[in-house]
Amino acid sequence: MHTQDITEIQGLLSSPKNIVIVTHKNPDGDAIGSSLGLYHYLKSQQHNVTVITPNDCPEFLKWIPGMDTILKYDHNSSKATSKIEAADLIFTLDFNHFSRSGDMEHILAKTKTCFIMIDHHQQPDTYASYTYSDVSMSSTCQMIYHFIEKLDDLDKITPEIATCIYVGIMTDTGSFRFRSTTSTTHKVIADLIDHGADNTKIHEDIYDTNTLSRIELQGIALNNLKVIPEYKTAYITLSQKELDQHNFKKGDTEGFVNMGLSIQGIVFAVIFIENKGDKIIKISFRSKGDFSVNEFSRNHFEGGGHHNAAGGRSNISLSDTVEKFISILPSYKNALNQ
Ligand code: 5GP
Ligand code: MN
């Protein structure tokens, strides 16, 4: 983001505005953390701010400060629509293409107002008047910190803002271990702790929230894990029936895909999760090193994301999806064995 853009945004924010913040569908820790962090910051600057998510987020995020103010489009589309129509400014966070906002896609696409995109995914679309896109960033939350920094307002970071931003950096970096974690990320984290983020408590509130049924579902996932040594690949399947038998709730399968990636020698891990309600198979892809799951997902499974973490979908059955996946692997044999 250029200095000129920052100056213009400072101008826009110099008087109270109606501001809407939108996340992607199935918001994760980074989407919620960045939106609520920005929400608290803008509120403190006297703006009228509404966070809208296309649908609900997982239970383990529900304690994040400001959560109770979030408007869910799928629950209250008329109120969400009127907020969008009345907005002077719309921030879109942690996504870069309207199609990622699910049923909100069409309303966003026809809205003629000033959009500000803050995002770290690959291949951003061009809808925004101001685009702060940086694929090298650990998380959108880290970018919210830098955004506040650019606005010269780091001294306005409250414990609430620090907590929200900390959550998304922690969840998107796998607790500060993925390649996107830089020394700057750690400096930002240190500053957030100094501004009142309680790091141990945040970690516990996010990760130590297992239910017995989730641990049992993890057992099923492990039992279904298959390894294809030839392609350094591991994959897991979960059928709707298996989910139903273990009282599945949104977010319960978060992180399961990493079990495959933790096996020695594996560079590509995938989880296929049947969703009968949406009539799709939701897929998560993870990789280590040079193999780009962003490209793999874009090319074959209508998705995308980052170099080492991406999502996608399939509209055929679970077994047909796995069969399709296995049939594609040979063309990536060299890439997977580098
Ligand atoms: P997850 O596997 O955790 O759902 O997503 C991994 C990463 O890929 C996240 O950064 C997420 O935003 C992105 N992602 C997930 N699903 C999709 C998708 O269908 N399309 C695109 N473009 N990105 C996705
Ligand atoms: Mn993110």
Side-chain angles (χ1 to χ4, degrees), residues 21-41:
I21 300 171
V22 184
T23 73
H24 56 79
K25 191 177 173 187
N26 299 323
D28 58 2
D30 192 30
I32 296 289
S34 57
S35 298
L36 289 177
L38 183 63
Y39 166 86
H40 292 298
Y41 166 71

Side-chain angles (χ1 to χ4, degrees), residues 18 23 40 67 101 165 215 316:
N18 288 318
T23 73
H40 292 298
M67 183 57 76
S101 67
I165 298 179
I215 294 282
I316 53 181

Side-chain angles (χ1 to χ4, degrees), residues 128-269:
S129 310
Y130 301 98
T131 298
Y132 177 24
S133 162
D134 186 344
V135 299
S136 76
M137 281 285 164
S138 70
S139 52
T140 301
C141 275
Q142 186 179 333
M143 299 175 76
I144 293 296
Y145 178 94
H146 294 311
F147 182 66
I148 295 174
E149 187 176 33
K150 287 170 203 286
L151 295 173
D152 210 13
D153 273 343
L154 286 183
D155 58 327
K156 302 211 170 78
I157 293 185
T158 60
E160 276 180 330
I161 298 173
T163 300
C164 295
I165 298 179
Y166 190 104
V167 167
I169 300 180
M170 182 184 76
T171 55
D172 257 29
T173 58
S175 297
F176 321 111
R177 67 198 169 95
F178 297 154
R179 275 212 293 198
S180 57
T181 311
T182 62
S183 62
T184 305
T185 311
H186 281 284
K187 283 172 193 148
V188 169
I189 282 295
D191 197 41
L192 294 173
I193 293 173
D194 286 342
H195 276 96
D198 186 342
N199 50 320
T200 304
K201 184 168 190 310
I202 293 172
H203 199 278
E204 287 172 1
D205 287 350
I206 294 286
Y207 292 116
D208 299 344
T209 55
N210 272 318
T211 55
L212 180 60
S213 57
R214 181 187 186 250
I215 294 282
E216 286 168 353
L217 185 63
Q218 191 165 7
I220 301 294
L222 273 177
N223 209 41
N224 292 349
L225 176 95
K226 299 266 187 314
V227 171
I228 316 177
E230 213 184 335
Y231 304 116
K232 299 188 173 176
T233 295
Y235 69 90
I236 291 170
T237 56
L238 281 173
S239 67
Q240 184 71 60
K241 192 171 164 204
E242 289 167 325
L243 298 173
D244 293 344
Q245 282 167 347
H246 294 86
N247 192 24
F248 170 76
K249 285 187 302 303
K250 205 184 212 35
D252 278 355
T253 56
E254 195 81 28
F256 283 8
V257 64
N258 295 318
M259 297 192 288
L261 206 60
S262 73
I263 301 169
Q264 257 179 28
I266 294 299
V267 299
F268 186 25

